[in-house]
Amino acid sequence: MGGLAARAWLRRAGDARRVRRIITLGSPHQGTALAALSRSGTGLQMRRGSAWLQALAQTEDAGRRALLSCWYSNCDHVVFPASTAALPGADRHFVPGLPHLALAFHPPLMEAVLEQIGP
């Protein structure tokens, strides 16, 4: 959910000029099927098509979406289907075969993310 929190922060910050890039790993940008089982506030926000996700998306123009780099997998057992982690207009990176938490610890993915961050 960190990617959603970063997008919400960016919405509140207003001025995106100080943000170079936001990198997300397995974030439910378009919700997740798993949230249908949740009754918590954040779980309700992560439901596919939720009012909260729709309101967030309405505040983002193409420039803001271009700041995001979304890494996602087809084996994520938390954010699924995989397409929900790929935010339209963002820089999208599909990494096959990794479960949710492995996205943060997979050496080739970590190297690629560090390259994106740059010096």
Side-chain angles (χ1 to χ4, degrees), residues 26-75:
S27 288
H29 291 294
Q30 298 181 68
T32 176
L34 188 61
L37 303 174
S38 179
R39 300 291 176 252
S40 72
T42 54
L44 296 173
Q45 289 174 333
M46 289 187 287
R47 286 186 176 178
R48 295 180 70 192
S50 76
W52 189 85
L53 285 174
Q54 290 177 13
L56 180 61
Q58 289 175 351
T59 64
E60 299 169 328
D61 60 16
R64 291 233 172 151
R65 291 275 177 103
L67 293 173
L68 277 93
S69 180
C70 307
W71 294 80
Y72 64 100
S73 175
N74 61 332
C75 290

Side-chain angles (χ1 to χ4, degrees), residues 51-117:
W52 189 85
L53 285 174
Q54 290 177 13
L56 180 61
Q58 289 175 351
T59 64
E60 299 169 328
D61 60 16
R64 291 233 172 151
R65 291 275 177 103
L67 293 173
L68 277 93
S69 180
C70 307
W71 294 80
Y72 64 100
S73 175
N74 61 332
C75 290
D76 192 323
H77 57 285
V78 177
V79 179
F80 59 89
S83 61
T84 62
L87 186 63
D91 184 22
R92 298 179 300 260
H93 304 274
F94 176 68
V95 183
L98 292 180
H100 189 74
L101 292 177
L103 289 166
F105 300 102
H106 186 64
L109 191 154
M110 289 170 50
E111 288 174 26
V113 165
L114 289 173
E115 265 185 45
Q116 280 191 316
I117 293 170

